[in-house]
Amino acid sequence: MLNRMEKMWAGRFAKSLDSKADDFNSSIRFDCKMYKQDILGSIAHAEMLAKQGIISISDKDAIINGLSSILEDIESGKLNFDMSCEDIHMFVEAELTKRIGDAGKRLHTARSRNDQVALDIRMYLRDNANDVIVLLKDLIDAILFKAEEGKAMILPGYTHLQRAQPITFGHHLMAYAQMFLRDISRIKDAVARMNFSPIGSCALAGTTYNTDRDFEAEKLGFSGITQNSIDGVSDRDFCVELMSAFSLIMMHLSRFSEEIILWSSWEFKYVELDDAYTTGSSIMPQKKNSDMAELVRGKTGRVYGDLFALLTTLKGLPLAYNKDMQEDKEAIFDAIETTCMCLDIFAPMVNTMRLIPENMYRAAQEGFINATDLADYLTKKGMPFRSAYKIVGQIVAECIDKKTVLDSLSLEEYKAHSDIFEEDLYNEISLETCVEKRISKGGTSVSSVEAQIEWVRKELSK
Ligand code: ARG
């Protein structure tokens, strides 16, 4: 337990706060992350107060100098956060007053911690959301690199985890590039909606001072101001939106992880992760485990948890500010940090993954994944698709019976099912043809995958 400093509100109270209650109430151990945003917000506030004639120019100058020196000292490690302060806002104000005296006490005119914290979180998230976008771009780059390498590697595509149709590895990877691109645009959307300044909402009702909220918002790089002071201090929907976007990133990463884990197993062995991103076992000498991918899959639950923690905290809160809302920060900080950590490890893991095309191809030769193409062959020669589908089903059953594959059945055996079959069927159902003929936009052919890579490159450069 810490020896707390005297409370600002001590005048109203006969007794001081119980020390356990004080610890319980305090948030500085996590909201100290927002020191920079808090200080920059306060500098803009002091400028606005002086411009409006609410404080003197000399007080404003003293405040700005004081705040700048605090920022410098925190960043150089000269000034440590005083954990006996309730939160970062109290800390900065107390430190300022310590440094510049009475002028420091004028800073909190025409604002409240309620609008201050709402401002700080928005600024913090705006900065950090951008880091997530940068990391997503790195991951997409790694995917493009691997997709290029694997654009002609044939493997089975799956539905229900049953071999379905032949696809290219590049095509499969490019599906993830699309997902992560949408994740970027989701974050941008959320930030655009969030980027309105709540400062000047004050405790909840606005203020009697002649403030200029628009000036302050503009100084801080917001697109505008929040239009209702109660809403400005009491909603955290922007945190929820961002956390939903992070949860979707994690969901995508988790599906990708699951596939990498499967592909790395001896049952598949389509890829081998680099030693730098795998671990061994303490007992089984042969093991090479995909721990990083597993951890990313595991941490997905944690980010979902953060999202649900905040949604649940907000549910049923009466307007406006309630202390419950202090819980927003640990959830959103954890979500953002976890997502960044996972993206940061994922890009190089994908980049260094070794592709094993022989194993992909071997798997593609089994499982009758060219059966659709055989049915299409008959259909193109005039047979209705449903009839073709039925005949091919019977041929597959015969192959299973004879323990063979479609490519090895003789023309005579084919003819027993339909005399439409000719020698050209073999070319039609070769894996290479199956893939090469799927030239529809977004399809699996090499040319289509190349077009997809090109398209994503363009989107990334926007
Ligand atoms: N530490 C508080 C939070 O994170 C700051 C706002 C406190 N406001 C108040 N009226 N108690 O929410």
Side-chain angles (χ1 to χ4, degrees):
M1 261 169 286
L2 288 152
N3 203 359
R4 301 277 174 196
M5 60 167 46
E6 185 181 270
K7 295 294 174 204
M8 279 171 187
W9 50 81
R12 158 77 175 76
F13 288 73
K15 252 169 120 180
S16 61
L17 184 59
D18 170 81
S19 62
K20 273 191 191 162
D22 206 353
D23 282 339
F24 184 69
N25 198 39
S26 132
S27 57
I28 190 158
R29 68 185 180 283
F30 48 85
D31 65 21
C32 60
K33 277 189 205 308
M34 306 190 300
Y35 70 88
K36 189 168 181 182
Q37 291 75 18
D38 195 74
I39 291 173
L40 295 178
S42 288
I43 289 177
H45 191 63
E47 283 174 342
M48 185 280 290
L49 291 175
K51 181 181 87 73
Q52 297 300 100
I54 301 169
I55 61 170
S56 69
I57 303 287
S58 60
D59 279 348
K60 173 204 71 171
D61 290 341
I63 290 172
I64 293 179
N65 288 338
L67 287 170
S68 307
S69 70
I70 293 173
L71 181 57
E72 235 178 83
D73 291 351
I74 293 174
E75 302 215 307
S76 69
K78 215 153 118 197
L79 175 64
N80 293 322
F81 300 112
D82 178 353
M83 291 297 158
S84 74
C85 289
E86 185 183 318
D87 55 30
I88 186 64
H89 326 293
M90 299 283 217
F91 167 74
V92 172
E93 192 182 330
E95 181 63 28
L96 180 68
T97 305
K98 204 159 50 175
R99 293 186 183 202
I100 66 166
D102 272 358
K105 297 184 188 165
R106 294 191 204 281
L107 171 64
H108 210 56
T109 313
R111 75 172 184 188
S112 140
R113 271 189 301 157
N114 296 351
D115 54 345
Q116 196 180 349
V117 71
L119 175 80
D120 291 2
I121 307 174
R122 282 169 163 90
M123 288 171 65
Y124 182 88
L125 292 180
R126 197 172 61 177
D127 297 346
N128 284 273
N130 201 50
D131 294 348
V132 181
I133 292 178
V134 170
L135 289 167
L136 278 167
K137 286 185 171 172
D138 289 347
L139 175 56
I140 296 174
D141 273 340
I143 292 173
L144 290 177
F145 172 71
K146 279 288 139 180
E148 186 69 48
E149 185 184 335
K151 68 184 176 191
M153 295 178 187
I154 297 175
L155 79 163
Y158 298 81
T159 62
H160 313 269
L161 201 56
Q162 299 287 328
R163 291 175 190 170
Q165 290 180 347
I167 57 166
T168 53
F169 192 70
H171 185 217
H172 194 107
L173 284 187
M174 286 308 290
Y176 286 108
Q178 293 293 332
M179 298 176 213
F180 294 123
L181 263 187
R182 282 197 299 280
D183 288 329
I184 291 178
S185 91
R186 240 185 303 273
I187 293 178
K188 287 184 175 168
D189 286 351
V191 169
R193 243 185 314 280
M194 175 179 79
N195 199 25
F196 290 87
S197 165
I199 197 72
S201 300
C202 301
L204 77 164
T207 181
T208 55
Y209 291 97
N210 175 28
T211 52
D212 186 347
R213 291 189 57 205
D214 296 286
F215 170 84
E216 218 168 324
E218 207 189 310
K219 282 253 154 209
L220 295 171
F222 285 96
S223 328
I225 59 167
T226 55
Q227 296 293 330
N228 177 297
S229 60
I230 297 176
D231 172 52
V233 291
S234 65
D235 205 0
R236 295 290 183 266
D237 57 354
F238 56 93
C239 296
V240 172
E241 262 197 273
L242 267 181
M243 274 202 259
S244 318
F246 298 155
S247 295
L248 287 172
I249 295 171
M250 292 303 298
M251 183 267 282
H252 292 147
L253 284 178
S254 183
R255 294 183 78 172
F256 202 172
S257 296
E258 170 67 13
E259 298 209 295
I260 289 175
I261 294 161
L262 282 174
W263 292 339
S264 307
S265 71
W266 282 109
E267 282 68 16
F268 287 77
K269 263 289 172 260
Y270 297 168
V271 303
E272 185 176 356
L273 290 175
D274 193 83
D275 285 0
Y277 300 97
T278 47
T279 57
S281 153
S282 59
I283 170 172
M284 297 166 280
Q286 84 286 8
K287 289 293 287 284
K288 186 169 176 183
N289 298 328
S290 330
D291 283 26
M292 310 309 136
E294 289 167 40
L295 257 182
V296 169
R297 188 177 58 186
K299 284 180 190 291
T300 303
R302 174 171 168 163
V303 175
Y304 290 2
D306 292 328
L307 168 66
F308 272 84
L310 185 59
L311 274 172
T312 313
T313 298
L314 294 175
K315 171 185 174 297
L317 284 188
L319 302 183
Y321 179 85
N322 300 268
K323 189 74 172 192
D324 315 45
M325 290 160 68
Q326 182 164 287
E327 289 290 312
D328 58 0
K329 280 172 284 300
E330 280 168 296
I332 185 85
F333 293 164
D334 184 69
I336 209 160
E337 278 154 27
T338 307
T339 307
C340 283
M341 222 175 5
C342 293
L343 286 168
D344 205 21
I345 199 83
F346 222 86
M349 184 177 78
V350 168
N351 225 328
T352 54
M353 175 169 88
R354 185 167 71 88
L355 310 184
I356 312 176
E358 317 83 80
N359 292 345
M360 298 181 192
Y361 197 81
R362 194 171 313 123
Q365 287 170 314
E366 294 157 3
F368 306 101
I369 63 179
N370 46 3
T372 314
D373 296 83
L374 187 61
D376 284 344
Y377 169 86
L378 291 173
T379 310
K380 283 175 187 161
K381 293 207 170 189
M383 188 183 280
F385 181 76
R386 272 292 155 243
S387 318
Y389 170 93
K390 190 171 171 199
I391 287 179
V392 173
Q394 288 160 353
I395 298 174
V396 166
E398 183 181 329
C399 285
I400 293 172
D401 220 38
K402 295 180 170 169
K403 295 195 171 39
T404 185
V405 293
L406 293 173
D407 314 63
S408 305
L409 224 52
S410 70
L411 186 58
E412 212 185 337
E413 286 167 305
Y414 272 113
K415 286 227 182 261
H417 290 274
S418 162
D419 51 17
I420 294 180
F421 284 119
E422 297 296 344
E423 198 59 40
D424 59 351
L425 81 90
Y426 295 103
N427 179 49
E428 212 52 26
I429 64 168
S430 87
L431 290 174
E432 286 73 15
T433 311
C434 293
V435 162
E436 263 330 293
K437 285 205 161 169
R438 286 192 162 72
I439 48 167
S440 54
K441 279 192 178 166
T444 205
S445 69
V446 178
S447 60
S448 167
V449 173
E450 279 168 346
Q452 292 172 44
I453 293 174
E454 207 38 54
W455 187 89
V456 170
R457 279 222 171 91
K458 271 206 193 100
E459 286 297 301
L460 272 187
S461 64
K462 275 184 187 167

